[in-house]
Amino acid sequence: MSEKDYAPLSTYCVRALNDKLYEKRKTAALEIEKMVKDFQRVGETGEIRKLLRVLGQDFTLSQNVNSRKGGLIGLAAMSVALGKDTSLFVDDLVQPVLSCFNDQDTRVRYYACETLYNIIKVARGSVLPFFPEIFDALSRLSADPDQNVKNGSELVDRLLKDIVAESSSFDLPAFIPLLRERICSKNPFTRQFIISWVSSLDSVADINMIVFLPEILDGLFVILGDPLAEIRKMCESVLGEFLRSIIENPKRVNFNDMVNILTIHANSTEELVQFTALTWLKEFVRLAGCSLLPYASGILTAVLPNLAQDTESRRSIL
């Protein structure tokens, strides 16, 4: 391409962004940062958008791996320079980065994490319209074969959790279908990622996860039977918190939508799953009483075989 194709970037900056050496790309990023601040000072919004298009299309979508790395560091520099004005350009900043999360090159995926972290750090709540796409990407990166990429995605994940916790505009109902889909994953890293998000959302005072619990309860009980003790412990803790919330405030609980899920898992061959499901059923019957009569047959089918168990712990639940 000719120089004008990359305007407003200088010839030197283009060459440096394409360089295989990180230090050269870093130098170009500093030039971009200065350029953006100059554009801001004189109100050249059009030039800023032109630069975003060059970096987000010509560089991050390039066949050249070093160009993709250069595009990412350039976008990170732009977000730093834009500061609070990042929210005005968040679409053009975030979308190219998300596409790089699928890159075959490990370093590109890592730099994408680094860039997104820098963007989110300054954009804060302005990135929430892209939350489903970011969450989807992070759920995949949580199982990335490269440890550096996983570490980078975890930094983004923690920052995103903080932003969701402090936001009054997080769209939980829109997020639940994605959570319900991802909770079915069998990958242990993805399961840990999902459980951490369920726990994080449940800990936010302004978010009522109990309302949406019927949507994810089955998935939680499936994860409770995971072969890894660490994952079972995480899931058991989350389920314990949910049950405590139900006991404390049963009026907001839709027992009918969850009782059949519990009767199914009460017949599990996994002792922890069965024990937990029976514990929940006992509390449901105590709290909901006669409203569960239509489900009496299923409840009895789940409970009666356990009366014959020779373990005191199992019988004591009932």
Side-chain angles (χ1 to χ4, degrees):
M1 285 188 180
S2 62
E3 180 182 347
K4 66 179 181 180
D5 292 322
Y6 292 103
L9 292 175
S10 67
T11 303
Y12 167 79
C13 194
V14 171
R15 190 180 302 117
L17 283 175
N18 282 293
D19 202 280
K20 65 180 180 179
L21 295 177
Y22 172 79
E23 290 304 322
K24 293 282 186 69
R25 299 195 300 271
K26 179 66 175 178
T27 301
L30 293 174
E31 181 177 320
I32 289 171
E33 186 177 339
K34 180 180 182 301
M35 187 188 309
V36 171
K37 288 179 178 178
D38 290 341
F39 288 152
Q40 276 184 300
R41 189 163 48 250
V42 296
E44 287 283 2
T45 303
E47 290 298 297
I48 293 174
R49 293 201 179 278
K50 188 184 298 183
L51 182 54
L52 281 168
R53 283 194 298 272
V54 169
L55 293 173
Q57 296 176 20
D58 296 328
F59 280 86
T60 62
L61 298 180
S62 171
Q63 294 297 312
N64 185 309
V65 65
N66 292 320
S67 297
R68 298 198 295 275
K69 294 174 185 176
L72 288 167
I73 198 171
L75 290 171
M78 288 194 71
S79 68
V80 171
L82 288 167
K84 60 182 177 60
D85 289 338
T86 297
S87 59
L88 303 174
F89 307 95
V90 69
D91 188 2
D92 292 325
L93 285 164
V94 170
Q95 292 292 4
V97 179
L98 291 176
S99 68
C100 289
F101 282 137
N102 297 316
D103 203 282
Q104 291 185 341
D105 187 89
T106 298
R107 297 306 292 172
V108 171
R109 296 198 303 277
Y110 173 77
Y111 288 132
C113 292
E114 193 175 68
T115 299
L116 187 59
Y117 180 88
N118 284 320
I119 293 170
I120 294 176
K121 188 167 64 172
V122 290
R124 307 299 294 181
S126 299
V127 302
L128 288 180
F130 302 94
F131 178 83
E133 294 95 328
I134 296 173
F135 178 88
D136 183 57
L138 292 177
S139 71
R140 286 183 278 106
L141 292 177
S142 67
D144 197 278
D146 185 84
Q147 188 60 48
N148 288 326
V149 174
K150 286 171 66 174
N151 292 343
S153 71
E154 286 170 6
L155 288 175
V156 178
D157 182 54
R158 286 198 290 271
L159 179 59
L160 195 59
K161 285 187 174 96
D162 290 341
I163 290 170
V164 168
E166 70 187 23
S167 172
S168 59
S169 59
F170 178 65
D171 192 351
L172 182 60
F175 169 57
I176 291 298
L178 179 58
L179 182 62
R180 186 176 62 237
E181 175 190 333
R182 285 288 178 268
I183 208 169
C184 296
S185 173
K186 294 182 179 180
N187 184 285
F189 297 108
T190 305
R191 283 182 164 183
Q192 286 179 307
F193 172 82
I194 293 297
I195 290 295
S196 73
W197 265 100
V198 173
S199 177
S200 179
L201 290 171
D202 188 47
S203 68
V204 179
D206 294 334
I207 291 179
N208 184 7
M209 282 294 288
I210 292 294
V211 173
F212 300 98
L213 186 55
E215 301 280 343
I216 60 173
L217 186 63
D218 181 61
L220 288 174
F221 269 92
V222 171
I223 293 177
L224 187 62
D226 193 274
L228 295 178
E230 182 181 357
I231 295 177
R232 292 197 302 272
K233 186 176 181 180
M234 286 178 64
C235 192
E236 186 179 15
S237 175
V238 168
L239 283 168
E241 287 298 322
F242 276 132
L243 186 57
R244 276 188 285 276
S245 296
I246 289 170
I247 293 170
E248 290 172 4
N249 195 350
K251 291 183 179 179
R252 62 177 181 169
V253 179
N254 190 333
F255 292 99
N256 292 358
D257 282 356
M258 292 188 281
V259 67
N260 283 336
I261 296 171
L262 296 175
T263 57
I264 291 171
H265 289 288
N267 291 303
S268 172
T269 56
E270 295 288 339
E271 185 173 353
L272 177 60
V273 175
Q274 186 182 54
F275 181 89
T276 305
L278 288 169
T279 301
W280 277 58
L281 277 174
K282 177 184 177 181
E283 294 298 336
F284 273 34
V285 170
R286 182 176 68 84
L287 295 168
C290 294
S291 67
L292 295 183
L293 280 176
Y295 307 94
S297 175
I299 294 172
L300 288 172
T301 300
V303 168
L304 290 177
N306 289 280
L307 293 174
Q309 292 288 333
D310 56 3
T311 57
E312 181 60 32
S313 62
R314 197 78 60 85
R315 291 198 305 271
S316 66
I317 305 174
L318 312 171

